[in-house]
Amino acid sequence: MKYDHLLADAAPAPYWLDTPERPGALDALSGQTAADLVVVGGGYSGLWTALLAKERDPGRDVVLLEANRIGWAASGRNGGFCSASLTHGYDNGLSRWPDEIDTLERLGRENLEEIEATLERYGIECDWRRTGELAVATAEWQAEELAAAPTCDDVVFLDQAAIQAEVASPTYHAGLWDKTGCAIVDPARLAFGLREACLRLGVRVFEKSPVSRLERDGAVMRLGTDHGVVLAPKVALATNVFPNLLKRVRPFLVPVYDYALMTEPVPAARLASVGWTNRQGIGDSANHFHYYRLSADNRILWGGYDAVYHFGSRISAKLDQRPQTFDMLAGHFFETFPQLEGLRFTHKWGGVIDTCSRFCAFFGTAYDGAVAYAAGYTGLGVGATRFGANVMLDLLAGEPTERTELKMVRGKPVPFPPEPVRWLGITATGAALARADRNGGKRNLWLRTLDRFGMGFDS
């Protein structure tokens, strides 16, 4: 492949997890125990749920069960964009819940501020930076859409000269800078810090404890792992992309594979040729889009574009490496920043994320309110999972709140059809989105039909 020489020495592992700062493993669950609340899943969703449960009631006995290691999956290998949006972007939220979009936007901003306050309260060091996010147009039709977007003091449109002065790339036609609606973070260190905060508050965290059984046992729920059992009256399921313990939830989710590269540190002189002094997170505005950002030591994370679905919703560690995607991403990187030609990549990785047909989280309960779940964050869960954790705790408490009264929370996405229709539909949609990118953003009959039936597919 064209860029083999620049990828040859790249470690096949997420950069963020390849660190001596990763905390040691915790014991697996053994024997039988009881708790007031069991949280299943040790990514952001589960960590926030456990932490918030203890903050709401310090005397509550909380157990968290993680099948592997805390933060090992999407929470430890994502791009580190912590967005205020709860709806995978303003336009997606507006199209689905126009009557409550102002409330959703306010709750999202409050959630982002509360995340920052939590990091300060617990002393979590995770390279948190309120840089905001740049949406960049790499085609004229995208520039026209950005120019038509609402602006304010915190959301600024940048014409071609202004965007080139901000970040220099020959591919940029325009940009939209949301100055306050997104923070950049080291995702793995955020997970590690939340783990430590949970432990300090008394959450009992067990790793290497996959839950294989969930059933009613009299007045409580019984959760079984390989070597232990937990009994509890309340359960929060925070497993996201991995098969939900409630079969009724599974048709709403599909797993897709996302891939990323990390460069070696960019020398100061070469980085100066790019500019980027404000260090925003960046995403381009195509349907098949890239996301990228600077790390603390001035590496560039470059990911996205491919979103690969495998027949039968297959999930396998073997799919985490995809050489053809890495080579393509490297090519796109140097098209965007030709002044960095020859820069080497030190890490290459991929992994599975969950998506649903409305592109943002959905929620629900089971077993007469004893079990709550949240899933479907579609790659925008760094911040939104905290909101989802609060929703789950509200639902388990059984008392209406502003969150539980939202149409977003009370409704469900359209489920995906069974195979082989599922695979055919997703494949056709990917091809149609790529065609729209080549055709001035025009959505064909297939995409317009999906839009009409609320199937999302707008990014």
Side-chain angles (χ1 to χ4, degrees):
M1 292 184 180
K2 184 176 179 181
Y3 294 98
D4 274 356
H5 62 296
L6 300 178
L7 290 160
D9 298 327
Y15 167 77
W16 310 112
L17 293 172
D18 187 13
T19 172
E21 295 181 17
R22 188 174 188 178
L26 298 169
D27 291 339
L29 178 69
S30 179
Q32 181 168 307
T33 189
D36 298 318
L37 170 68
V38 178
V39 179
V40 182
Y44 295 142
S45 184
L47 291 165
W48 280 120
T49 304
L51 182 64
L52 290 167
K54 292 294 285 186
E55 289 186 338
R56 290 186 181 198
D57 180 0
R60 178 161 27 189
D61 185 9
V62 179
V63 164
L64 187 153
L65 301 174
E66 164 54 40
N68 196 307
R69 296 281 304 280
I70 295 297
W72 73 278
S75 296
R77 55 169 158 75
N78 64 82
F81 288 62
C82 188
S83 172
S85 178
L86 305 176
T87 59
H88 210 276
Y90 178 85
D91 290 343
N92 189 49
L94 179 64
S95 69
R96 300 180 188 283
W97 304 288
D99 296 340
E100 59 185 31
I101 187 62
D102 290 343
T103 299
L104 290 166
E105 288 289 292
R106 172 179 57 80
L107 290 172
R109 290 191 298 271
E110 291 173 356
N111 184 63
L112 186 62
E113 296 298 332
E114 289 162 358
I115 291 173
E116 185 167 295
T118 300
L119 302 183
E120 294 175 359
R121 184 162 62 251
Y122 293 102
I124 296 175
E125 298 290 341
C126 55
D127 195 34
W128 175 268
R129 303 181 191 224
R130 290 293 292 270
T131 60
E133 182 176 8
L134 275 175
V136 296
T138 56
E140 193 56 41
W141 66 269
Q142 298 168 23
E144 293 171 359
E145 289 188 353
L146 294 184
T151 57
C152 61
D153 289 344
D154 293 331
V155 180
V156 180
F157 175 73
L158 305 174
D159 63 17
Q160 189 165 29
I163 188 63
Q164 293 292 341
E166 194 66 40
V167 182
S169 169
T171 66
Y172 293 174
H173 293 253
L176 193 70
W177 184 6
D178 181 349
K179 294 185 175 183
T180 60
C182 184
I184 296 300
V185 64
D186 180 319
R189 288 172 63 191
L190 173 59
F192 302 157
L194 291 174
R195 184 191 97 145
E196 177 59 28
C198 285
L199 292 171
R200 282 165 52 189
L201 293 186
V203 177
R204 292 187 285 154
V205 181
F206 298 96
E207 296 183 328
K208 297 294 183 180
S209 300
V211 178
S212 55
R213 302 181 304 282
L214 171 67
E215 57 195 5
R216 174 94 59 189
D217 188 351
V220 298
M221 300 302 300
R222 172 186 287 266
L223 296 91
T225 71
D226 292 344
H227 302 291
V229 171
V230 187
L231 302 175
K234 300 291 183 181
V235 177
L237 299 180
T239 52
N240 291 296
V241 71
F242 298 102
N244 200 284
L245 291 165
L246 301 172
K247 290 184 179 180
R248 73 179 74 169
V249 178
R250 297 179 187 178
F252 295 107
L253 296 167
V254 294
V256 294
Y257 276 79
D258 179 56
Y259 297 89
L261 302 173
M262 184 66 96
T263 73
E264 62 187 339
V266 184
R270 300 196 75 183
L271 187 57
S273 71
V274 177
W276 210 350
T277 57
N278 287 308
R279 307 182 70 87
Q280 307 95 326
I282 302 177
D284 63 56
S285 302
N287 291 302
H288 285 277
F289 63 93
H290 305 90
Y291 58 86
Y292 40 112
R293 47 77 57 94
L294 290 163
S295 68
D297 59 350
N298 287 337
R299 300 169 186 264
I300 298 175
L301 179 144
W302 182 267
Y305 195 83
D306 265 356
V308 183
Y309 173 77
H310 295 275
F311 186 88
S313 295
R314 183 183 172 205
I315 297 175
S316 170
K318 295 178 181 179
L319 302 175
D320 291 352
Q321 294 292 308
R322 197 165 192 263
Q324 63 268 43
T325 292
F326 296 139
D327 191 73
M328 179 194 64
L329 284 174
H332 292 173
F333 176 84
F334 293 118
E335 288 172 12
T336 303
F337 297 126
Q339 61 270 55
L340 300 180
E341 187 68 43
L343 200 67
R344 301 185 70 85
F345 298 96
T346 63
H347 293 76
K348 54 186 179 184
W349 71 92
V352 66
I353 61 174
D354 63 341
T355 191
C356 68
S357 63
R358 72 184 198 187
F359 271 63
C360 59
F362 64 93
F363 314 90
T365 61
Y367 291 97
D368 299 318
V371 177
Y373 60 85
Y377 291 96
T378 316
L380 210 65
V382 178
T385 46
R386 184 186 180 279
F387 174 82
N390 267 320
V391 170
M392 285 194 284
L393 293 172
D394 289 349
L395 292 172
L396 290 173
E399 297 181 2
T401 67
E402 182 180 30
R403 286 180 287 259
T404 61
E405 293 301 295
L406 291 166
K407 293 178 183 177
M408 174 192 177
V409 170
R410 291 187 284 113
K412 292 286 191 298
V414 177
F416 291 96
E419 298 290 17
V421 178
R422 176 181 295 192
W423 184 86
L424 291 170
I426 293 172
T427 301
T429 300
L433 289 170
R435 192 176 304 116
D437 282 337
R438 297 190 300 268
N439 193 30
K442 295 178 181 178
R443 298 169 76 82
N444 65 11
L445 178 61
W446 173 252
L447 293 178
R448 296 197 303 272
T449 301
L450 292 176
D451 293 340
R452 193 173 302 119
F453 286 95
M455 290 296 286
F457 296 118
D458 60 349
S459 63

